Amino acid sequence: MMNRSEPKGTFSRPERTETDASVAAGLNNEALDSILLFTLRRTQAVIMQDFVSRFDALDLRPIQLGALLLIRSNPGSRQSDIAAALGIQRPNFVTMMDELDRRGLTQRTTSNNDRRSYSLGLTPQGEALVNKALQLLAEHEAFVSSGLDPNERRQLFDNLNRIESGLASGGR
Amino acid sequence: MMNRSEPKGTFSRPERTETDASVAAGLNNEALDSILLFTLRRTQAVIMQDFVSRFDALDLRPIQLGALLLIRSNPGSRQSDIAAALGIQRPNFVTMMDELDRRGLTQRTTSNNDRRSYSLGLTPQGEALVNKALQLLAEHEAFVSSGLDPNERRQLFDNLNRIESGLASGGR
DNA sequence: TATTGTTATACTCTATAACTATA
DNA sequence: TATAGTTATAGAGTATAACAATA
């Protein structure tokens, strides 16, 4: 173990928290635990698991709920805009919209100003589904944050957002 | 906007930090910004970008570096153990080991005790590559954490680990 | 010329079933 | 019988090129 007193050029280690898998096999994974990317990945994995199991009842994957929420908050948006906000490619969003349309949750209205693009919107069924989803979402967020007090949760979002805005699009 | 005074049953919102994409299109993505899974995903994406661009010179993807680091810290481990610690399926780890072997970075020695399994280890070239990688890794971690002071970075790891250990394997 | 939606396609990641050799 | 490594395979997710319609 390292010195407690912050040696220069060294990063503070996270608290010792072994991965399940490594604990099971008795592996030393200290090296991985101190890498932010890997810690984020593990945390995301367990959160994803809870999300997927909760939203299985509504047959909604995270990205689909993201699309519905964005369309609801930004009615009239174009596919390109929603895809960009979701961080996915336009071609891949087409397939997603095809399915949401097929399920009667969304509608593509041909725009008057620009006949190349669609105006996206939720159908009444889409609105109804999102309302159910918001309830599940609140329970999901409460569950995954149950180990954090409100201030710690705020700190977490703040730290994540600071990292993102510090690195975003600028490159290095 | 909501009241500042923590209304009951409501979660503290993260600080207002718009996604690049949504800013570009002028979209309101408040709903997504308050979902931990989505915020984690965005943060992970920008960190991944930096990681990949830095390690391109060594031709190492994150999961490959993870494998090398685990093997280094746990010489003699079996493939199943390393795969589990990495959180990937055993069949998929086989392909990875095939490539690391082909590149002369790792070696599979048939175990004496149990001739079904291999004892994994790094070759001298593997050791050398990991040493170079550790330098890059330190620079990567410094860069992605440059917006956080040591205490904030510690908090971030701690909060992520608390979420993970709170949800891990127990289900809900 | 440039952009929106689209099609086709390919590459990575991930997950499962089934085989073999050992135990 | 159970387990380690393996093979084959299938499904997501993601990325790019190129086309038709429209600007």
Side-chain angles (χ1 to χ4, degrees):
Chain A
M1 201 60 176
M2 279 223 151
N3 206 327
R4 275 258 167 262
S5 54
E6 291 294 339
K8 63 165 171 36
T10 303
F11 282 98
S12 53
R13 289 275 164 66
E15 300 298 311
R16 296 288 296 144
T17 310
E18 305 283 357
T19 297
D20 278 8
S22 69
V23 165
L27 291 198
N28 171 3
N29 66 343
E30 207 179 310
L32 267 55
D33 284 345
S34 59
I35 301 174
L36 185 51
L37 180 61
F38 292 179
T39 296
L40 282 175
R41 183 182 290 186
R42 287 200 315 266
T43 306
Q44 202 197 300
V46 296
I47 292 179
M48 176 80 82
Q49 220 175 335
D50 180 71
F51 191 109
V52 167
S53 75
R54 273 180 210 276
F55 283 86
D56 182 58
L58 299 186
D59 193 21
L60 281 181
R61 277 161 299 169
I63 195 75
Q64 293 176 313
L65 177 59
L68 294 179
L69 290 175
L70 280 175
I71 293 171
R72 191 175 87 131
S73 301
N74 304 274
S77 294
R78 299 171 308 159
Q79 290 190 178
S80 312
D81 297 332
I82 301 292
L86 287 172
I88 68 176
Q89 300 297 317
R90 275 64 82 207
N92 298 327
F93 185 62
V94 171
T95 320
M96 219 181 111
M97 276 301 300
D98 286 346
E99 189 186 335
L100 295 177
D101 257 28
R102 185 189 56 71
R103 290 170 61 179
L105 302 174
T106 55
Q107 51 194 1
R108 299 190 249 214
T109 313
T110 314
S111 177
N112 292 328
N113 343 357
D114 185 342
R115 284 177 19 245
R116 289 174 302 183
S117 63
Y118 291 131
S119 256
L120 303 185
L122 296 185
T123 62
Q125 297 103 298
E127 295 276 4
L129 189 68
V130 167
N131 286 333
K132 285 186 207 162
L134 286 173
Q135 177 61 34
L136 287 187
L137 189 57
E139 293 166 10
H140 163 75
E141 290 293 316
F143 181 70
V144 301
S145 303
S146 56
L148 308 179
D149 65 35
N151 191 48
E152 288 168 331
R153 179 178 152 97
R154 206 169 11 238
Q155 280 175 355
L156 176 57
F157 272 98
D158 184 43
N159 287 332
L160 292 171
N161 284 327
R162 298 232 309 275
I163 290 175
E164 189 203 348
S165 56
L167 308 192
S169 72
R172 70 174 197 274
Chain B
M1 202 63 177
M2 276 223 154
N3 207 327
R4 274 258 166 265
S5 55
E6 291 293 339
K8 65 166 170 36
T10 302
F11 282 98
S12 52
R13 289 275 163 69
E15 300 299 310
R16 295 291 294 147
T17 310
E18 303 284 357
T19 296
D20 278 6
S22 70
V23 166
L27 290 198
N28 171 5
N29 66 343
E30 207 180 310
L32 266 56
D33 284 344
S34 59
I35 300 175
L36 185 50
L37 180 61
F38 291 179
T39 295
L40 282 174
R41 182 182 292 185
R42 287 200 315 266
T43 307
Q44 202 197 301
V46 296
I47 293 180
M48 175 79 83
Q49 220 174 335
D50 180 73
F51 191 109
V52 166
S53 75
R54 275 180 208 277
F55 283 88
D56 183 57
L58 300 186
D59 194 20
L60 281 181
R61 277 160 299 169
I63 195 76
Q64 293 175 313
L65 177 60
L68 294 179
L69 290 175
L70 280 175
I71 293 172
R72 191 175 87 131
S73 301
N74 304 274
S77 293
R78 300 170 309 159
Q79 291 191 177
S80 311
D81 296 332
I82 302 292
L86 287 172
I88 67 175
Q89 299 296 319
R90 275 64 82 208
N92 298 327
F93 186 62
V94 171
T95 319
M96 218 181 112
M97 276 302 300
D98 286 346
E99 189 185 337
L100 295 177
D101 257 28
R102 185 188 56 72
R103 291 171 61 180
L105 302 174
T106 54
Q107 50 194 1
R108 299 190 249 212
T109 314
T110 314
S111 176
N112 292 328
N113 343 358
D114 185 341
R115 284 174 23 244
R116 288 175 302 184
S117 64
Y118 292 130
S119 257
L120 302 185
L122 296 186
T123 62
Q125 297 104 296
E127 296 275 4
L129 189 70
V130 168
N131 286 333
K132 284 185 208 163
L134 287 173
Q135 178 60 33
L136 288 187
L137 189 57
E139 293 167 10
H140 163 75
E141 290 293 317
F143 181 69
V144 301
S145 303
S146 56
L148 308 179
D149 65 35
N151 190 46
E152 289 168 331
R153 180 178 150 98
R154 209 171 7 240
Q155 280 176 355
L156 176 57
F157 272 98
D158 183 42
N159 287 332
L160 292 171
N161 284 327
R162 298 230 311 275
I163 290 174
E164 189 202 348
S165 57
L167 308 192
S169 72
R172 69 171 197 272

